[in-house]
């Protein structure tokens, strides 16, 4: 029922795009979209219909800075248990990765959800930090345990970021010329899509909120092309089976209770105003930045990118993974030089996994 | 990261539900949604983030095809 993969429908959508006779470049900002596009060979199909797709800054692990990962490594090296999603473990920095810290004896563990981390904290006395990454899709879940009484040794190092400010930055930097945006469906599930409307008004940008099956992507490209054909620039919703106009108010309430917006650098970008989520003052007792301020003050300076790594340009949507000189040679999933090759959501990892050999 | 997978709600106990992902049963936190046994929830990092509109999911493809036909594309 939820597999939108019918070939006949795909052909119809592609033919309808081609009939409009407009060549377009569309950007998406989600690693899961990139996975669908590459895995199902949609790039080639859409290319034949005149559509080029470009991934922008949409892999949470990839946009987390080396400084933030170095903070987590430093905590681990100083006797704090670090828990994080698996993708974070192998991201390299100039002081190594979290897995390197583990191999020299630090207590570093992969968790599936924040609730796992809370349970682990309750079973030990030494301090435990959950390194929280993710966009609006993930941030509400990190906020859920904060409503309850938490073990005193549990704290959160928030790398959570929000989507709209980085899109504004991409447009304002003006490096990438795109004709439309495929909007991240699982961010919009939480935020709704009214918050994206200003982009259509300010930048004359067609936008379509899209799901993650192959037909969702094709249909969103059709809807974007149709907007261009009719000289419209609006926010439309393709993912109607899940995304409501006002999103999930309960999830947003959770975020509002727990977090406040702060300025933060993103990998590949300068500091973006009000683009990240830090724990509010009332949760200071569980904010790793406050609880472990003394240790974090000792985090060594790290290079933001390894020599030759072009993740920043890949994330800004101005370079394709395959065009990086390190791609597939010095930088591979088994020996990554940058986060885009580590994360399942990273465009380099996806390009390598499904490359034609 | 933003990968989220639909599964059917089998049982609810407080904030937690048992979810059937095509035969694989896992627990998920359902604080953020109006969970009901038999409904489809979309799960991300151990939390249900929304309930799938089953009717909408069934109808969407049909509507697209009707719409595309009316557009007069070359495929029938």
């Amino acid at each position: 029922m939820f597999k939108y993969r019918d070939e006949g429908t795909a052909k119809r959508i592609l033919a309808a795009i081609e009939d409009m006779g407009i060549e377009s470049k569309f950007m998406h900002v989600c690693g899961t979209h990139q996975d669908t596009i590459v895995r199902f060979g949609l790039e080639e199909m859409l290319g034949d219909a005149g559509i080029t797709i470009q991934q922008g800054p949409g892999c949470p692990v990839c946009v987390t800075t080396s400084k933030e990962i170095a903070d987590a490594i430093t905590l681990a090296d100083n006797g704090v248990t670090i828990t994080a999603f698996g993708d974070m473990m192998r991201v390299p920095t100039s002081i190594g990765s979290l897995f390197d810290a583990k191999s020299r004896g630090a207590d570093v563990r992969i968790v599936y959800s924040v609730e796992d981390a809370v349970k682990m904290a309750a079973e030990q006395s030494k301090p435990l930090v959950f390194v929280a990454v993710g966009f609006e899709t993930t941030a509400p879940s990190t906020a859920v345990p904060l409503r309850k009484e938490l073990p005193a040794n549990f704290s959160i190092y928030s790398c959570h970021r929000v989507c709209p400010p980085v899109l504004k930055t991409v447009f304002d930097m003006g490096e990438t010329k795109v004709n439309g945006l495929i909007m991240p469906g699982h961010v919009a599930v939480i935020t709704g899509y009214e918050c994206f409307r200003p982009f259509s008004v300010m930048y004359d940008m067609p936008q379509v909120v899209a799901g993650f099956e192959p037909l969702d992507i094709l249909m969103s490209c059709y809807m974007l092309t149709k907007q261009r054909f009719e000289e419209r620039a609006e926010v439309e919703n393709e993912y109607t089976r899940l995304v409501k106009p006002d999103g999930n108010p309960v999830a947003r309430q959770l975020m509002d209770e727990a977090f406040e917006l702060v300025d933060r650098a993103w990998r590949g970008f300068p500091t973006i105003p009000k683009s990240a989520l830090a724990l509010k003052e009332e949760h200071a007792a569980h904010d790793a930045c406050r609880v472990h301020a003394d240790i974090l003050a000792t985090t060594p300076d790290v290079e933001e990118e390894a020599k030759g790594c072009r993740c920043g340009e890949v994330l800004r949507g101005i370079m394709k993974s395959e065009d990086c000189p390190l791609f597939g040679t010095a930088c591979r999933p088994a020996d990554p030089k940058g986060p885009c090759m580590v994360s399942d959501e990273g465009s380099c990892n996806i390009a390598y996994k499904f490359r034609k050999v | 990261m933003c990968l989220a997978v639909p599964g059917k709600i089998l049982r609810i106990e407080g904030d937690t539900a048992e979810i059937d992902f095509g035969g694989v049963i896992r627990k998920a936190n359902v604080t953020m949604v109006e969970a009901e046994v038999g409904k489809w929830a979309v799960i991300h990092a151990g939390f249900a983030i929304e309930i799938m509109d089953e009717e909408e999911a069934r109808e969407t493809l049909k509507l697209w095809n009707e719409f595309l036909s009316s557009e007069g594309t070359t495929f029938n």
Side-chain angles (χ1 to χ4, degrees):
Chain A
M1 169 170 61
F2 303 120
K3 296 214 184 301
Y4 284 57
R5 298 181 185 179
D6 176 61
E7 200 182 331
T9 310
K11 282 180 176 170
R12 285 176 156 206
I13 298 170
L14 287 162
I17 293 173
E18 216 171 340
D19 279 355
M20 286 184 270
I22 301 176
E23 290 198 357
S24 303
K25 184 175 179 183
F26 298 141
M27 181 185 263
H28 70 82
V29 288
C30 180
T32 312
H33 276 152
Q34 182 70 4
D35 186 90
T36 303
I37 289 162
V38 180
R39 183 187 296 265
F40 293 97
L42 304 184
E43 259 178 331
E44 208 170 343
M45 287 181 218
L46 284 163
D48 291 343
I51 309 292
T52 313
I53 304 278
Q54 175 73 57
Q55 179 171 9
C59 153
V61 171
C62 304
V63 297
T64 301
T65 58
S66 291
K67 164 75 172 75
E68 291 167 294
I69 293 162
D71 274 347
I73 293 168
T74 304
L75 289 170
D77 283 340
N78 282 275
V80 175
T81 301
I82 291 292
T83 56
F85 297 141
D87 272 10
M88 286 293 282
M89 296 295 170
R90 287 171 54 245
V91 177
T93 73
S94 50
I95 59 164
S97 66
L98 278 167
F99 263 170
D100 293 332
K102 187 182 174 72
S103 67
R104 55 179 178 257
D107 188 0
V108 176
R109 306 177 201 169
I110 294 175
V111 288
Y112 169 66
S113 101
V114 63
E115 292 191 316
D116 296 346
V118 174
K119 269 187 217 135
M120 287 174 185
E123 288 162 4
Q124 68 181 49
S125 55
K126 73 170 181 164
L128 181 147
V129 168
F130 174 65
V131 180
V133 294
F135 293 108
E136 292 94 329
T137 320
T138 323
S141 59
T142 302
V144 168
L146 290 167
R147 277 189 174 171
K148 297 181 183 161
E149 193 159 336
L150 284 166
N153 61 341
F154 174 82
S155 62
I156 293 166
Y157 182 91
S158 174
C159 307
H160 285 308
R161 284 166 166 80
V162 291
C163 194
V166 75
L167 284 170
K168 183 175 187 312
T169 305
V170 166
F171 295 140
D172 288 344
M173 287 171 92
E175 296 174 314
T176 311
K177 299 280 180 251
V178 295
N179 309 112
L181 280 174
I182 300 168
M183 302 305 283
H186 290 151
V187 166
V189 162
I190 305 297
T191 64
Y193 44 88
E194 283 309 308
C195 60
F196 299 122
R197 200 172 295 280
F199 300 129
S200 287
V201 178
M202 288 163 63
Y203 304 98
D204 198 25
M205 187 65 63
Q207 302 176 73
V208 173
V209 175
F212 298 89
E213 287 292 321
L215 290 183
D216 288 319
I217 302 285
L218 295 180
M219 196 62 192
S220 65
C221 288
Y222 166 77
M223 290 165 76
L224 287 169
T225 310
K226 182 97 172 166
Q227 284 197 37
R228 294 197 71 207
F229 186 74
E230 293 171 353
E231 297 182 351
R232 291 182 291 123
E234 295 166 11
V235 190
E236 293 177 316
N237 183 17
E238 177 279 328
Y239 202 17
T240 50
R241 61 195 188 276
L242 200 67
V243 174
K244 298 171 187 143
D246 65 340
N248 182 333
V250 177
R252 280 204 311 283
Q253 173 71 29
L254 278 160
M255 278 168 73
D256 288 346
E257 284 171 18
F259 301 110
E260 60 190 354
L261 284 168
V262 293
D263 303 348
R264 184 80 52 89
W266 295 45
R267 188 182 296 265
F269 292 88
T271 297
I272 304 177
K274 297 200 181 307
S275 65
L277 296 170
L279 287 184
K280 281 186 171 170
E281 179 73 38
E282 55 258 47
H283 299 296
H286 299 290
D287 180 357
C289 291
R290 292 175 167 107
V291 175
H292 298 297
D294 53 336
I295 299 174
L296 293 172
T298 68
T299 300
D301 286 333
V302 286
E303 299 286 330
E304 260 322 306
E305 281 178 337
K307 201 168 177 290
C309 172
R310 309 288 283 273
C311 279
E313 284 147 279
V314 170
L315 288 166
R316 293 207 301 278
I318 55 173
M319 177 181 264
K320 281 185 92 71
S321 296
E322 294 89 333
D323 296 335
C324 172
L326 305 186
F327 180 83
T329 53
C331 183
R332 289 168 287 115
D335 182 20
K337 295 290 182 283
C340 299
M341 189 58 92
V342 176
S343 173
D344 282 341
E345 302 259 308
S347 65
C348 301
N349 179 287
I350 294 165
Y352 189 88
K353 214 160 37 189
F354 298 109
R355 72 196 183 286
K356 293 190 180 73
V357 286
Chain B
M1 275 304 303
C2 289
L3 183 67
V5 183
K8 203 161 197 165
I9 300 171
L10 296 179
R11 218 159 61 88
I12 304 166
E13 209 179 306
D15 291 345
T16 310
E18 274 183 14
I19 313 282
D20 178 1
F21 298 96
V24 179
I25 315 289
R26 292 202 68 155
K27 284 188 174 161
N29 183 305
V30 291
T31 306
M32 286 178 229
V33 298
E34 285 179 26
E36 267 180 51
V37 171
K39 283 196 170 178
W40 289 78
V42 171
I43 314 296
H44 167 76
F47 287 78
I49 56 170
E50 191 53 278
I51 300 295
M52 180 82 79
D53 187 332
E54 202 170 333
E55 184 69 14
E56 183 81 31
R58 279 185 215 287
E59 287 296 307
T60 303
L61 284 179
K62 211 177 110 202
L63 289 173
W64 285 356
N65 274 305
E66 281 169 17
F67 174 71
L68 289 164
S69 301
S70 72
E71 288 279 282
T73 63
T74 47
F75 288 86
N76 288 305

